[in-house]
Amino acid sequence: MKMGIFKEWKNTDVRMLSPLKLAYIGDAVYEVYIRRFLLENSNENMGKIHKKSTKYVSAKAQSDIVFFLDSLLTDEEKSIIRRGRNTKSNTVPKNANIQDYKYATGFEALIGYLYLNDRIERIEELMNEILAR
């Protein structure tokens, strides 16, 4: 059994979380991967690095990523994205259309699902595909 500040999640526990809760943690995890990638691969100032990050973290970019990854995703992963996409949110997107926002929520839910299930290798496989495109 793991000891530490975080509990060990069981797949059944993670599946019971709402898609918005999965997206909440997934958004943060994805952002860290993107920021680390940009820091390690850019000598530019922070303003330019931040601008580059929008290529990956905007609702439109994440929506596009869902379609880009589609053939690489398992049925389970597609199901998580679908749950995230179809969930009702009280948040209205500021700089995105509603369809992109819903797909982005689905993508973030997938990242959150994988993270809480300690499937870091799978997140990294997907990140390698995203960052190589």
Side-chain angles (χ1 to χ4, degrees):
M1 182 171 160
K2 279 189 199 178
M3 298 295 277
I5 61 171
F6 300 120
K7 80 177 203 174
E8 186 172 346
W9 290 81
K10 294 183 173 115
N11 186 33
T12 52
D13 295 335
V14 176
R15 287 192 71 73
M16 296 304 294
L17 289 174
S18 78
L20 291 178
K21 288 182 178 180
L22 293 174
Y24 174 75
I25 192 73
D27 175 54
V29 170
Y30 180 68
E31 181 87 23
V32 168
Y33 273 93
I34 294 303
R35 286 181 181 204
R36 182 167 177 173
F37 171 78
L38 292 174
L39 285 175
E40 291 175 356
N41 293 284
S42 179
N43 292 342
E44 297 173 314
N45 68 44
M46 284 310 303
K48 289 183 180 179
I49 290 173
H50 178 72
K51 186 170 179 150
K52 279 184 174 182
S53 74
T54 61
K55 174 182 173 187
Y56 301 100
V57 299
S58 69
K60 173 69 174 138
Q62 291 177 348
S63 176
D64 291 346
I65 287 167
V66 169
F67 292 100
F68 171 75
L69 292 176
D70 186 66
S71 65
L72 304 173
L73 299 173
T74 66
D75 289 342
E76 175 188 35
E77 292 167 345
K78 289 177 183 180
S79 173
I80 298 298
I81 289 173
R82 199 168 26 257
R83 280 182 56 215
R85 184 192 71 210
N86 292 334
T87 196
K88 180 158 175 49
S89 170
N90 294 327
T91 307
V92 178
K94 326 178 237 193
N95 300 315
N97 73 46
I98 193 71
Q99 181 177 344
D100 287 342
Y101 184 77
K102 286 181 171 281
Y103 275 99
T105 301
F107 173 71
E108 291 170 349
L110 171 62
I111 299 299
Y113 175 80
L114 294 171
Y115 175 76
L116 290 176
N117 276 310
D118 203 25
R119 296 189 46 206
I120 305 307
E121 285 184 27
R122 180 59 175 155
I123 293 172
E124 291 180 358
E125 287 172 15
L126 296 175
M127 291 304 299
N128 282 332
E129 292 295 327
I130 292 164
L131 297 170
R133 71 183 188 123

